[in-house]
Amino acid sequence: MYADGKISLVGPTAVTLIISIVKMEVAEFRKRGKEMVDYIADYLENIEKRNVYPDVEPGYLRALIPEVAPDEPETYEDVVKDIERVIMPGVTHWHSPYFYAYFPSANSFPALLADMLSGGIGCVGFSWAASPACTELETVVLDWLGKMLKLPEEFIAGTEGEGGGVIQGTASEATLVALLAARSRMVKRVQADHPELTEVHIMSKLVAYASNQAHSSVERAGLIGGVRMKKLPTDSKFAVRGEYLRKVIEEDKAAGLIPFFFCATLGTTPSCAFDRITELGPICNAEGIWMHIDAAYAGSSFICPEFRPLLDGVEFADSFNFNAHKWLLVNFDCSAMWVKKRADIIGAFKMDPLYLKHDHQESGLVTDYRHWQIPLGRRFRSLKLWFVLRMYGCQGLQQHIRKQVTLAKEFESLLLGDERFEICAEVVLGLVCFRLKGSNDLNEVLLKRINSSRRIHLVPCQLAGQFVLRLAVCARTTESRHIREAWTHITKLASELLRENQH
Ligand SMILES: *Cc1c(COP(=O)(O)O)cnc(C)c1O
């Protein structure tokens, strides 16, 4: 059809072709959409049959597809057949029950369907007027979720609250937003007493704090915010205590610095340790330091009454954040953040060009979420949270958390029965930190063999100078049999390794 080159592209044939694609669109979408749902269902139902960790080298994909985008349209079939050829060989299967690395990434069918709807509506909800449902649902479901966590009343928006919730993309963004708001609040406070001081001068004196176990995104927030960030020491349980913070604040104030921000971690990434916020919070409040709580992983568990005491002290915090996309069955991205005083965040970031203005004043009922975050644009992310909260109910979500904690406890008890291993941190939730008694080298080799077998996937961490293996219960479909299989596999590789080392 195109034998004579470009000329035929502007001829009648090409016009007919384009028109026919447009006419086909809705009908084809209906059909292909159903096929895609089937493909995803098959993928997730049979995920155990795939190797959890891919066997590819860097650059594998470039060799499988053309160097430039196609000039002429391809068919849907052409694209779809490349999913298994190009994509799947390079996927790490996070939802496999043999995946125990990092922390979980949530996945559930209600959330997947809601995300499809969000894509379909495709609105960009930067202000109330830009899509009232997008804004209002977010405010209301974050109130729901805040009440499930038994957050203090000040964090709940209601119709005229001063606080409220927002969905950020990630915990990293939540920490950064909190730090920038705290920075702006402190600069204004200092200038109120010392109008002669410039913002640049005050900023050069600011100092923020976090645990030496805090996530790397916290240190990064300090870098991006252009402020000093000091890492605080931790106790034998990897927790920051009040006295450590008090000591460094006194030293820093004596040196002319201005402490302004403390990021507490509840459920640290290496070992799921909990900073002592009941001690730390009152110190922050007395010093006018913004306390932000990063509970990215552990936060979901606080919906269970038996784990809620871990959140005691939240009443001292200015902001609190956790990732519903980690452990609450809401697909990435959905990082829930609450602040006590919305004016603190809005005050730091507000920009109001004419093209974004509308006739409704900011209040509990009317929120312009663009003032609460770094980007302008935002997706309709509350839909997936709404679907999940309604279809699982609080009880269903509690059940999910409890089941995964029980599985971690099961793995812990298997470890306790084998004296070649040691447990390196208290097992509080779904994470178990363990190692072979012996050198770091020995444990590094063990981990290498575990991961290169591709049967299960783990990542390590460093705790008190030791190389430690981390097993986090991740997939929603993980069962006791998978935990026992993982254990059998690990002990087999460990026995081989120890036998070789004897010779
Ligand atoms: C996972 C994790 C983060 C980072 O989460 P993102 O949403 O990817 O930014 C931050 N803090 C802690 C404690 C975490 O476990």
Coordinates of all heavy atoms in Angstrom, one line a residue, residues 13 40 213 271 298 350 356 359 452:
T13 N -5.9 6.8 0.8 CA -5.8 5.6 1.6 C -5.5 5.9 3.0 O -6.1 5.4 4.0 CB -4.7 4.7 1.0 OG1 -4.7 4.7 -0.4 CG2 -4.9 3.2 1.5
I40 N -4.1 -9.5 33.5 CA -3.6 -9.1 34.8 C -4.1 -10.2 35.8 O -3.3 -10.6 36.7 CB -4.1 -7.7 35.2 CG1 -3.6 -6.7 34.3 CG2 -3.8 -7.5 36.7 CD1 -4.2 -5.3 34.5
Q213 N 19.0 5.9 61.9 CA 18.3 4.8 61.2 C 17.3 5.3 60.2 O 16.6 4.5 59.6 CB 17.6 3.9 62.2 CG 18.6 3.2 63.3 CD 19.5 2.2 62.6 OE1 19.0 1.3 62.0 NE2 20.8 2.4 62.8
S271 N 15.3 -2.1 60.4 CA 14.9 -3.1 61.4 C 13.5 -2.9 62.0 O 13.1 -3.6 63.0 CB 15.9 -3.1 62.5 OG 15.8 -1.9 63.3
A298 N 5.2 1.1 58.9 CA 4.4 0.6 60.1 C 3.1 1.3 60.3 O 2.2 0.7 60.9 CB 5.3 0.9 61.4
K350 N 2.2 28.9 49.1 CA 1.1 29.4 48.3 C 1.6 30.3 47.1 O 2.4 31.2 47.3 CB 0.2 30.2 49.2 CG -1.1 30.5 48.6 CD -2.2 30.8 49.6 CE -3.5 31.0 48.9 NZ -4.6 31.0 49.9
L356 N -5.3 30.2 38.1 CA -5.6 29.1 39.0 C -6.6 29.6 40.1 O -7.0 28.8 40.9 CB -4.3 28.6 39.7 CG -3.3 28.0 38.7 CD1 -2.1 27.5 39.5 CD2 -3.9 26.8 38.0
D359 N -13.6 31.2 42.9 CA -14.4 32.0 43.8 C -14.6 31.5 45.2 O -15.3 32.1 46.0 CB -15.8 32.2 43.2 CG -15.7 33.0 41.9 OD1 -14.7 33.7 41.7 OD2 -16.6 32.9 41.1
S452 N 20.8 -15.4 43.9 CA 21.1 -15.9 42.6 C 20.3 -17.2 42.3 O 20.2 -17.6 41.1 CB 22.6 -16.0 42.3 OG 23.1 -16.9 43.3

